């Protein structure tokens, strides 16, 4: 986690700036860190990570 952000994570953060659903999904990473882990490590890189 100390290396540069993976491209798919950087893209999600940029998308979150204009998409509330994506922003809410990223905020959910703080409620359930396993969601962040799965997303960061490429297990789920599309919108289903938001659920």
């Amino acid at each position: 986690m100390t290396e540069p952000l993976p491209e798919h994570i950087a893209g999600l953060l940029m998308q979150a700036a204009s998409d509330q659903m994506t922003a809410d999904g990223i905020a959910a990473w703080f409620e359930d860190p396993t969601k962040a882990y799965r997303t960061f490590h490429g297990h789920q890189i599309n919108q289903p990570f938001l659920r």
Side-chain angles (χ1 to χ4, degrees):
M1 299 290 259
T2 61
E3 296 190 16
L5 289 174
E7 187 175 321
H8 66 281
I9 298 298
L12 284 172
L13 293 173
M14 294 300 293
Q15 180 180 349
S18 62
D19 178 21
Q20 187 62 51
M21 190 168 105
T22 301
D24 291 344
I26 291 171
W29 292 349
F30 296 94
E31 295 173 13
D32 181 2
T34 61
K35 289 181 182 180
Y37 178 86
R38 289 189 306 263
T39 304
F40 265 75
H41 294 285
H43 299 286
Q44 292 180 307
I45 60 171
N46 296 316
Q47 293 297 336
F49 86 94
L50 299 172
R51 295 184 187 132

Coordinates of all heavy atoms in Angstrom, one line a residue:
M1 N 0.8 -1.2 0.0 CA 0.0 0.0 0.0 C 0.9 1.3 0.0 O 0.3 2.3 0.0 CB -0.9 0.0 1.2 CG -1.9 -1.1 1.3 SD -3.2 -1.0 0.0 CE -4.5 -0.4 0.9
T2 N 2.2 1.1 0.1 CA 3.0 2.3 0.1 C 3.5 2.6 -1.3 O 4.2 3.6 -1.5 CB 4.2 2.1 1.0 OG1 5.0 1.0 0.5 CG2 3.8 1.9 2.4
E3 N 3.2 1.9 -2.3 CA 3.6 2.1 -3.7 C 2.5 3.0 -4.4 O 1.5 3.2 -3.8 CB 3.8 0.8 -4.4 CG 4.9 0.0 -3.8 CD 5.2 -1.3 -4.6 OE1 4.8 -1.3 -5.8 OE2 5.9 -2.1 -4.0
P4 N 2.8 3.4 -5.6 CA 1.8 4.2 -6.3 C 0.5 3.5 -6.4 O 0.5 2.2 -6.5 CB 2.5 4.4 -7.7 CG 3.9 4.3 -7.4 CD 4.1 3.3 -6.3
L5 N -0.6 4.2 -6.5 CA -1.9 3.6 -6.6 C -2.0 2.8 -7.9 O -1.5 3.2 -9.0 CB -3.0 4.6 -6.6 CG -3.2 5.4 -5.3 CD1 -4.3 6.5 -5.6 CD2 -3.7 4.4 -4.3
P6 N -2.6 1.6 -7.9 CA -2.9 0.9 -9.1 C -3.7 1.7 -10.0 O -4.5 2.6 -9.6 CB -3.6 -0.4 -8.6 CG -3.3 -0.5 -7.2 CD -3.1 0.9 -6.7
E7 N -3.6 1.5 -11.3 CA -4.3 2.3 -12.3 C -5.8 2.3 -12.1 O -6.5 3.3 -12.2 CB -3.9 1.9 -13.7 CG -4.5 2.8 -14.8 CD -4.0 2.4 -16.2 OE1 -2.8 2.0 -16.3 OE2 -4.8 2.4 -17.1
H8 N -6.3 1.1 -11.8 CA -7.8 0.9 -11.6 C -8.3 1.7 -10.4 O -9.4 2.2 -10.4 CB -8.2 -0.5 -11.6 CG -7.7 -1.3 -10.4 ND1 -6.5 -1.8 -10.3 CD2 -8.4 -1.7 -9.3 CE1 -6.3 -2.5 -9.2 NE2 -7.5 -2.4 -8.6
I9 N -7.5 1.8 -9.3 CA -7.8 2.6 -8.1 C -7.8 4.1 -8.4 O -8.7 4.8 -8.1 CB -6.9 2.2 -6.9 CG1 -7.0 0.8 -6.6 CG2 -7.2 3.1 -5.8 CD1 -8.4 0.3 -6.1
A10 N -6.8 4.5 -9.1 CA -6.7 5.9 -9.5 C -7.9 6.3 -10.3 O -8.5 7.4 -10.2 CB -5.4 6.2 -10.2
G11 N -8.3 5.4 -11.2 CA -9.5 5.7 -12.1 C -10.8 5.7 -11.3 O -11.6 6.6 -11.5
L12 N -10.9 4.9 -10.3 CA -12.1 4.9 -9.4 C -12.1 6.2 -8.6 O -13.2 6.8 -8.5 CB -12.1 3.7 -8.4 CG -12.4 2.4 -9.0 CD1 -12.2 1.3 -8.0 CD2 -13.9 2.4 -9.5
L13 N -11.0 6.7 -8.1 CA -11.0 7.9 -7.4 C -11.3 9.1 -8.3 O -12.1 10.0 -7.9 CB -9.6 8.1 -6.8 CG -9.2 7.1 -5.6 CD1 -7.8 7.3 -5.2 CD2 -10.2 7.3 -4.5
M14 N -10.9 9.1 -9.5 CA -11.2 10.2 -10.4 C -12.7 10.1 -10.8 O -13.4 11.1 -10.8 CB -10.4 10.1 -11.7 CG -8.9 10.3 -11.5 SD -8.6 12.0 -10.8 CE -9.0 13.0 -12.2
Q15 N -13.2 8.9 -11.0 CA -14.7 8.7 -11.2 C -15.5 9.2 -10.1 O -16.6 9.8 -10.3 CB -15.0 7.3 -11.6 CG -16.4 7.0 -11.9 CD -16.7 5.5 -12.2 OE1 -15.8 4.7 -12.3 NE2 -17.9 5.1 -12.2
A16 N -15.0 8.9 -8.8 CA -15.8 9.3 -7.7 C -16.0 10.8 -7.5 O -17.0 11.3 -6.9 CB -15.1 8.8 -6.4
A17 N -15.1 11.6 -8.2 CA -15.2 13.1 -8.1 C -16.5 13.5 -8.8 O -17.0 14.6 -8.5 CB -14.0 13.7 -8.8
S18 N -17.1 12.7 -9.7 CA -18.3 13.1 -10.4 C -19.4 12.1 -10.3 O -20.4 12.3 -11.0 CB -17.9 13.4 -11.9 OG -17.5 12.2 -12.5
D19 N -19.2 11.0 -9.6 CA -20.2 10.0 -9.5 C -20.4 9.6 -8.0 O -19.6 9.0 -7.4 CB -19.8 8.8 -10.3 CG -20.7 7.6 -10.2 OD1 -21.9 7.8 -9.9 OD2 -20.3 6.5 -10.5
Q20 N -21.6 10.0 -7.5 CA -21.9 9.8 -6.0 C -21.9 8.3 -5.7 O -21.4 8.0 -4.6 CB -23.2 10.5 -5.7 CG -23.4 10.4 -4.2 CD -22.4 11.2 -3.4 OE1 -22.1 12.4 -3.7 NE2 -21.8 10.6 -2.4
M21 N -22.4 7.5 -6.5 CA -22.4 6.0 -6.2 C -21.0 5.5 -6.0 O -20.8 4.7 -5.1 CB -23.2 5.3 -7.3 CG -23.4 3.8 -6.9 SD -24.6 3.0 -8.0 CE -23.5 2.0 -8.9
T22 N -20.1 5.9 -6.9 CA -18.7 5.4 -6.8 C -18.1 6.0 -5.5 O -17.4 5.3 -4.8 CB -17.9 5.9 -8.0 OG1 -18.5 5.3 -9.1 CG2 -16.5 5.4 -7.9
A23 N -18.4 7.3 -5.2 CA -17.9 7.9 -4.0 C -18.4 7.2 -2.8 O -17.6 7.0 -1.8 CB -18.2 9.4 -4.0
D24 N -19.6 6.8 -2.8 CA -20.2 6.1 -1.6 C -19.5 4.8 -1.4 O -19.3 4.3 -0.3 CB -21.7 5.9 -1.8 CG -22.5 7.2 -1.7 OD1 -21.9 8.2 -1.2 OD2 -23.6 7.3 -2.1
G25 N -19.2 4.1 -2.6 CA -18.6 2.8 -2.5 C -17.2 2.9 -1.9 O -16.7 2.1 -1.1
I26 N -16.5 4.0 -2.3 CA -15.1 4.2 -1.8 C -15.2 4.5 -0.3 O -14.4 4.0 0.5 CB -14.4 5.3 -2.5 CG1 -14.1 4.7 -3.9 CG2 -13.1 5.7 -1.8 CD1 -13.6 5.8 -4.9
A27 N -16.2 5.3 0.1 CA -16.4 5.6 1.6 C -16.7 4.3 2.3 O -16.2 4.1 3.5 CB -17.5 6.5 1.7
A28 N -17.3 3.3 1.7 CA -17.6 2.0 2.4 C -16.3 1.2 2.7 O -16.4 0.4 3.5 CB -18.6 1.2 1.5
W29 N -15.3 1.6 2.0 CA -14.0 0.9 2.3 C -13.6 1.1 3.7 O -13.0 0.2 4.3 CB -12.9 1.4 1.4 CG -13.0 1.1 -0.1 CD1 -13.8 0.2 -0.7 CD2 -12.2 1.6 -1.1 NE1 -13.6 0.2 -2.0 CE2 -12.6 1.0 -2.3 CE3 -11.2 2.5 -1.2 CZ2 -12.0 1.3 -3.6 CZ3 -10.6 2.8 -2.4 CH2 -11.0 2.2 -3.6
F30 N -14.0 2.2 4.3 CA -13.6 2.5 5.7 C -14.5 1.8 6.7 O -14.1 1.6 7.8 CB -13.7 4.0 5.9 CG -12.7 4.8 5.1 CD1 -13.0 5.3 3.9 CD2 -11.3 4.9 5.6 CE1 -12.0 6.0 3.1 CE2 -10.4 5.6 4.8 CZ -10.7 6.1 3.6
E31 N -15.7 1.4 6.2 CA -16.6 0.6 7.1 C -16.2 -0.9 7.0 O -16.3 -1.6 8.0 CB -18.0 0.7 6.6 CG -18.6 2.0 6.7 CD -20.0 2.1 6.0 OE1 -20.6 1.1 5.7 OE2 -20.5 3.2 5.8
D32 N -15.7 -1.3 5.9 CA -15.3 -2.7 5.7 C -14.0 -2.8 4.9 O -14.0 -2.8 3.7 CB -16.4 -3.5 5.0 CG -16.1 -5.0 4.8 OD1 -15.0 -5.5 5.2 OD2 -16.9 -5.7 4.2
P33 N -12.9 -2.8 5.6 CA -11.6 -2.7 4.9 C -11.3 -3.9 4.0 O -10.5 -3.8 3.0 CB -10.5 -2.7 6.1 CG -11.3 -2.2 7.2 CD -12.7 -2.6 7.1
T34 N -12.1 -5.0 4.1 CA -11.9 -6.1 3.2 C -12.3 -5.7 1.8 O -11.8 -6.2 0.8 CB -12.6 -7.4 3.6 OG1 -14.0 -7.1 3.7 CG2 -12.1 -7.8 5.0
K35 N -13.3 -4.8 1.7 CA -13.7 -4.3 0.4 C -12.6 -3.5 -0.3 O -12.3 -3.7 -1.5 CB -14.9 -3.4 0.5 CG -16.2 -4.0 0.8 CD -17.3 -3.0 0.9 CE -18.6 -3.7 1.3 NZ -19.7 -2.8 1.4
A36 N -11.9 -2.7 0.5 CA -10.7 -2.0 -0.1 C -9.6 -3.0 -0.5 O -9.1 -2.9 -1.6 CB -10.2 -1.0 0.9
Y37 N -9.4 -4.0 0.3 CA -8.3 -5.0 0.0 C -8.7 -5.7 -1.3 O -7.8 -5.8 -2.2 CB -8.2 -6.0 1.1 CG -7.2 -7.0 0.8 CD1 -5.9 -6.8 1.1 CD2 -7.6 -8.2 0.2 CE1 -4.9 -7.8 0.8 CE2 -6.6 -9.2 -0.1 CZ -5.3 -9.0 0.2 OH -4.4 -9.9 -0.1
R38 N -9.9 -6.1 -1.5 CA -10.3 -6.9 -2.7 C -10.2 -5.9 -3.9 O -9.8 -6.4 -5.0 CB -11.7 -7.4 -2.5 CG -11.9 -8.5 -1.6 CD -13.2 -9.2 -1.7 NE -14.3 -8.2 -1.5 CZ -15.0 -8.0 -0.3 NH1 -14.6 -8.6 0.8 NH2 -15.9 -7.1 -0.3
T39 N -10.6 -4.7 -3.7 CA -10.5 -3.8 -4.9 C -9.1 -3.4 -5.2 O -8.7 -3.5 -6.4 CB -11.3 -2.5 -4.5 OG1 -12.6 -2.8 -4.2 CG2 -11.3 -1.5 -5.7
F40 N -8.2 -3.1 -4.2 CA -6.8 -2.8 -4.5 C -6.1 -4.0 -5.1 O -5.2 -3.7 -5.9 CB -6.1 -2.4 -3.1 CG -6.1 -1.0 -2.9 CD1 -7.2 -0.3 -2.4 CD2 -5.0 -0.2 -3.1 CE1 -7.2 1.0 -2.2 CE2 -4.9 1.1 -2.8 CZ -6.1 1.8 -2.4
H41 N -6.4 -5.2 -4.8 CA -5.7 -6.3 -5.3 C -6.4 -7.0 -6.5 O -6.1 -8.1 -6.8 CB -5.5 -7.3 -4.1 CG -4.6 -6.7 -3.1 ND1 -3.2 -6.6 -3.3 CD2 -4.8 -6.2 -1.9 CE1 -2.7 -6.1 -2.2 NE2 -3.6 -5.8 -1.4
G42 N -7.3 -6.2 -7.1 CA -7.9 -6.6 -8.4 C -8.9 -7.7 -8.3 O -9.3 -8.2 -9.4
H43 N -9.4 -8.1 -7.2 CA -10.4 -9.2 -7.1 C -11.7 -8.6 -7.6 O -12.5 -9.4 -8.2 CB -10.6 -9.7 -5.7 CG -9.3 -10.3 -5.2 ND1 -8.9 -11.6 -5.7 CD2 -8.4 -9.9 -4.3 CE1 -7.7 -11.8 -5.1 NE2 -7.4 -10.8 -4.3
Q44 N -12.0 -7.4 -7.4 CA -13.2 -6.7 -7.9 C -12.8 -5.3 -8.3 O -12.6 -4.5 -7.5 CB -14.3 -6.7 -6.8 CG -14.9 -8.0 -6.5 CD -15.9 -7.8 -5.4 OE1 -15.7 -7.2 -4.4 NE2 -17.1 -8.4 -5.7
I45 N -12.8 -5.1 -9.6 CA -12.4 -3.7 -10.1 C -13.5 -3.0 -10.8 O -13.4 -1.9 -11.2 CB -11.2 -3.8 -11.0 CG1 -11.4 -4.6 -12.2 CG2 -10.0 -4.3 -10.2 CD1 -10.3 -4.6 -13.2
N46 N -14.7 -3.6 -10.8 CA -15.8 -2.9 -11.4 C -16.8 -2.5 -10.4 O -16.6 -2.7 -9.2 CB -16.5 -3.8 -12.5 CG -15.5 -4.1 -13.6 OD1 -14.9 -3.3 -14.1 ND2 -15.5 -5.4 -14.0
Q47 N -17.9 -2.0 -10.8 CA -18.9 -1.4 -9.9 C -19.4 -2.4 -8.8 O -19.8 -1.9 -7.7 CB -20.2 -0.9 -10.6 CG -19.8 0.3 -11.5 CD -19.4 1.5 -10.7 OE1 -19.7 1.6 -9.5 NE2 -18.6 2.4 -11.3
P48 N -19.4 -3.7 -9.0 CA -19.9 -4.6 -7.9 C -19.1 -4.4 -6.6 O -19.7 -4.8 -5.5 CB -19.7 -6.0 -8.4 CG -19.7 -5.8 -9.9 CD -19.1 -4.5 -10.2
F49 N -18.0 -3.8 -6.6 CA -17.3 -3.6 -5.3 C -18.1 -2.6 -4.4 O -17.9 -2.6 -3.2 CB -15.9 -3.0 -5.5 CG -15.8 -1.5 -5.7 CD1 -15.5 -0.8 -4.6 CD2 -16.0 -0.9 -6.9 CE1 -15.5 0.6 -4.7 CE2 -15.9 0.4 -7.0 CZ -15.7 1.2 -5.9
L50 N -19.0 -1.9 -5.0 CA -19.8 -1.0 -4.2 C -20.8 -1.6 -3.4 O -21.4 -1.0 -2.5 CB -20.5 0.0 -5.2 CG -19.5 0.8 -6.1 CD1 -20.3 1.6 -7.1 CD2 -18.7 1.8 -5.2
R51 N -21.1 -2.8 -3.6 CA -22.2 -3.5 -2.8 C -21.7 -4.0 -1.5 O -20.6 -4.3 -1.3 CB -22.8 -4.6 -3.7 CG -23.4 -4.1 -4.9 CD -24.1 -5.2 -5.7 NE -24.6 -4.7 -6.9 CZ -24.3 -5.2 -8.1 NH1 -23.7 -6.3 -8.2 NH2 -24.8 -4.6 -9.1

